[in-house]
Amino acid sequence: MSEQRPVGPLDSSQIPRFAGFATFARLPRIEEVPSADVAVVGVPFDSGVSYRPGARFGPSALREASRLLRPYHPGLDVSPFAEKQVVDAGDIAVNPFHIGEAIEKLQQEAEALTAGPTKLVTVGGDHTIALPLLRAAAKKHGPVALLHFDAHLDTWDTYFGEPYTHGTPFRRAVEEGILDTSAVSHVGTRGPLYGKRDLEEDRRLGFGIVTSGDVLRRGIDETVDALRQRIGDRPLYVSVDIDVLDPAHAPGTGTPEAGGMTSRELLEILRGLRGLNLVGADVVELAPAYDHAEITAVAASHVAYDLVSLLALGRDA
Ligand SMILES: N=C(N)NCCCC(=O)O
Ligand SMILES: [Zn+2]
Ligand SMILES: [Zn+2]
């Protein structure tokens, strides 16, 4: 940004936070400011799911839950909306009846949004959308390190013979050479698999795994240290599937698995990433039809807030 001060959220002491249109954290829309450092953008797409549908309603649920976010982040000691111009870039509308076309359009739109200095936090939508987002990130930064928070590996080959689904984005990404496979990790993995081969193939692709049990046994600090060492100075993309959380913390999702992380653990690990070379991030698989009292939407909105805050801190954290 130039000398101009960022346009922040609506003042909740003047306009109650439950009033008015829902943009992320009540921030301005992208059209309302000359340029943006960080944009939160929705992708209401769930045509790639293998079980419960409904993540197409994720972006609007997250925006509604984000009304309660406040401008200062004590955990990271940053006021992200004062440091940087953060905006809501609306939704990227993609074809719900054609996955291939949806992926192409999403990649184009993500490239257009990030053509300048703007960094994206994308709200899904199902996990299929990570592939075009990673393509756009790699086009700009070269192959990126990946930190993938998820109950699932999402490195399966095909479903019903189809290569582009929410269970396959990271295998496609490795095949396409858009990930730096010396620094790709899953965190929070658990639950039954199709066979032991799933793990062998995942390892062959280059992934390291920190299971949800590992996080419990090692604790936050040791987990963060190991991840930071692996990532180093590389451009980093963070993908958060909200089903990384235990169904008690995130019932509103399509493929829930027992034994997951708490939202506290996830947020603490994210805060441990400050100072890394974060270039983009997503939060996916929020499916509000299965939610209760906005439990999952609130958790996802806080994850998005932490990701925005990390981007607002930038490298000088
Ligand atoms: N990406 C998510 N959430 N789930 C993938 C699960 C794929 C499966 O049903 O085997
Ligand atoms: Zn998952
Ligand atoms: Zn996933």
Side-chain angles (χ1 to χ4, degrees), residues 50-51 127 150 152 154 156 159 166-167 194 241 243 255 285:
S50 56
Y51 199 54
H127 225 152
D150 202 324
H152 308 99
D154 290 359
W156 286 288
Y159 282 81
H166 81 150
Y194 298 95
D241 184 328
D243 71 29
T255 35
E285 299 284 347

Side-chain angles (χ1 to χ4, degrees), residues 121 238 240 270 278 281-283 303-312:
V121 173
V238 174
V240 181
L270 289 176
L278 185 63
D282 62 55
V283 189
V303 169
Y305 181 61
D306 271 46
L307 294 168
V308 166
S309 297
L310 287 168
L311 286 170

Side-chain angles (χ1 to χ4, degrees), residues 155-157 171 174-175 181 184 186 196-209 230:
T155 52
W156 286 288
D157 189 11
R171 180 181 295 228
V174 171
E175 289 168 352
T181 53
V184 288
H186 309 294
K196 197 168 180 155
R197 236 184 82 190
D198 295 352
L199 292 171
E200 289 158 5
E201 290 182 12
D202 188 78
R203 197 175 316 118
R204 188 171 48 74
L205 293 169
F207 284 87
I209 295 182
R230 187 142 201 243

Side-chain angles (χ1 to χ4, degrees), residues 40 56-57 75 84-85 130 139 147 204 251 266 270 276:
V40 177
R56 64 181 60 183
F57 297 106
K84 296 282 162 65
Q85 180 62 64
K139 228 173 178 175
L147 207 43
R204 188 171 48 74
L266 174 60
L270 289 176
L276 296 180

